[in-house]
């Protein structure tokens, strides 16, 4: 009896947490209308305590501007909400207004302003306020950059020179030409970490002798929901963890063919003792590298020997920063923003319930 219960519980867990990959399609996809439920099983929602035990975050690799981590124990709705917050709601500083005094290059003013806005600015956005529409710029809501650049002939160039790098001086206008102009107390506040573009070699315009550019650019705080230039991420993606279930040992030459059906590093062919004889055997070593191409399902010799699934509540996240904020900081800021959103929602629900209760009490008094 207990054995049957155990099998039923295991089967139920498989239905809830696995997306089955078939030869011609995908089955058991979770419903977007019912988070934490599969399309064919609707158990009661687990308690918060159980949810906390299941929730795990594992950092797989991390550098300053790129991070890969596993988010385990949540529904796709929450995973996607986190991704969207990282892309669209984590604030940064970006060039918003450009005052052009002189531009004789071939780049039109509006195109120039757009290109400048996309240059990532290395500064902590938490040290600035959002600037409202009718608010005057101050040292707490605006950063000012200036460009005063001119292209001219190189007097030391050879007469037969054809390389623009040798023939002209300043023919490439780069992001390094954006010179920070501190306002108010900014010079003191950022003495140890001067404000500048993340990269100095971003090409803004190519110029020729006689062409010049003079402008003033104002950075303001914003979010990617308003414009992509404020998004702190270059990419923020996730995918479900692949799972390869070998139901029957695959040996001999079939082991090599089996390994060739997957991405490199997913399957290893090892020597295993079977019936007092060393035999080549296929072994799953790193399923996270699998691209789920379903190549193995096209070969009849592997029918009923392998099952491909994806773990529905195990997400492999990749976050690549534009360089404004570190990848880890983007993830943490996104969590804080989601917490704030949840708190506001709960407060709004409490206020609505209170209003309904007050209306009910007033109706009771009228009846009396």
């Amino acid at each position: 009896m207990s054995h049957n219960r155990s099998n039923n519980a295991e089967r139920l867990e498989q239905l809830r947490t696995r997306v089955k990959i078939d030869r011609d399609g995908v089955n058991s996809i979770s419903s977007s209308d019912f988070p934490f439920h599969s399309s064919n099983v609707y158990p009661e929602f687990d308690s918060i305590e159980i949810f906390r035990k299941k929730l795990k975050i594992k950092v797989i690799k991390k550098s300053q501007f790129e991070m890969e981590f596993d988010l385990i124990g949540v529904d796709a709705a929450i995973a996607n909400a986190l991704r969207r917050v990282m892309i669209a709601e984590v604030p940064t500083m970006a060039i918003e207004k450009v005052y052009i005094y002189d531009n004789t290059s071939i780049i039109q003013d509006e195109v120039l302003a757009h290109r400048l806005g996309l240059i990532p600015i290395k500064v902590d956005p938490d040290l600035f306020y959002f600037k409202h529409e009718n608010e005057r710029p101050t040292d707490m809501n605006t950063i000012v950059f200036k460009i005063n650049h001119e292209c001219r002939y190189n007097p030391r160039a050879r007469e037969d020179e054809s390389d623009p790098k040798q023939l002209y001086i300043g023919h490439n206008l780069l992001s390094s030409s954006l010179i920070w102009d501190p306002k108010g107390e900014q010079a003191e506040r950022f003495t140890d970490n001067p404000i500048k573009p993340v990269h100095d070699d971003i090409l803004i315009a190519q110029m020729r002798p006689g062409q010049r550019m003079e402008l003033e650019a104002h950075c303001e705080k914003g979010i990617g929901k308003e414009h992509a230039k404020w998004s702190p991420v270059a990419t923020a993606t996730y995918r479900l963890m692949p799972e390869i279930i070998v139901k029957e040992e695959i040996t001999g030459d079939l082991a090599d063919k089996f390994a060739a059906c997957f991405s490199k590093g997913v399957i290893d062919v090892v020597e295993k003792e079977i019936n007092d004889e060393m035999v080549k055997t296929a072994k799953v070593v790193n399923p996270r590298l699998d691209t789920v191409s379903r190549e193995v399902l096209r070969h009849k010799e592997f029918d009923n020997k392998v099952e491909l699934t994806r773990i529905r509540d195990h997400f492999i996240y990749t976050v690549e920063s534009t360089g404004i904020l570190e990848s880890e900081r983007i993830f943490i800021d996104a969590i804080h923003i989601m917490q704030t959103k949840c708190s506001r929602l709960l407060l709004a629900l409490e206020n609505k319930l209170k209003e309904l209760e007050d209306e009910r009490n007033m109706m009771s008094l009228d009846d009396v």
Side-chain angles (χ1 to χ4, degrees), residues 151-181:
C151 179
R152 62 183 188 276
Y153 283 104
N154 182 4
R156 298 183 179 180
R158 302 194 311 268
E159 291 184 4
D160 60 343
E161 184 62 67
S162 59
D163 185 0
K165 295 180 181 179
Q166 304 298 328
L167 193 57
Y168 311 125
I169 296 176
H171 78 291
N172 279 344
L173 175 61
L174 304 176
S175 54
S176 57
S177 297
L178 279 167
I179 307 302
W180 175 44
D181 184 17

Side-chain angles (χ1 to χ4, degrees), residues 92-101 112-121 123 128-133 135-147 178-184 186 195 197 214-222 226-227 229-230:
T92 63
M93 301 293 291
I95 293 174
E96 169 67 0
K97 293 183 174 64
V98 181
Y99 302 93
I100 300 175
Y101 306 127
L112 174 62
H114 182 263
R115 291 175 70 88
L116 290 171
L118 295 176
I119 296 175
I121 306 300
V123 62
F128 292 87
Y129 302 129
F130 285 97
K131 182 177 177 293
H132 301 293
E133 186 175 353
E135 189 177 0
R136 292 177 60 85
T138 69
D139 61 335
M140 294 302 297
N141 62 23
T142 304
I143 300 170
V144 177
F145 285 95
K146 290 186 176 181
I147 289 180
L178 279 167
I179 307 302
W180 175 44
D181 184 17
K183 302 296 181 182
Q186 288 181 353
I195 302 172
E214 184 179 358
L215 58 83
E216 185 174 293
H218 288 196
C219 291
E220 297 178 6
K221 189 173 181 177
E226 296 181 49
H227 194 286
K229 65 185 178 183
W230 278 299

Side-chain angles (χ1 to χ4, degrees), residues 253-294:
D253 293 336
L254 279 181
D256 294 321
K257 185 174 183 179
F258 184 77
C261 292
F262 297 89
S263 303
K264 186 177 180 180
V266 175
I267 305 293
D268 267 359
V269 178
V270 299
E271 294 286 337
K272 184 177 180 180
E273 185 176 348
I274 300 177
N275 297 328
D276 298 328
E277 185 179 352
M278 301 302 293
V279 180
K280 290 193 300 183
T281 307
K283 179 182 179 182
V284 180
V285 291
N286 195 352
R288 73 183 298 116
L289 297 178
D290 185 28
T291 59
V292 195
S293 66
R294 294 187 281 191

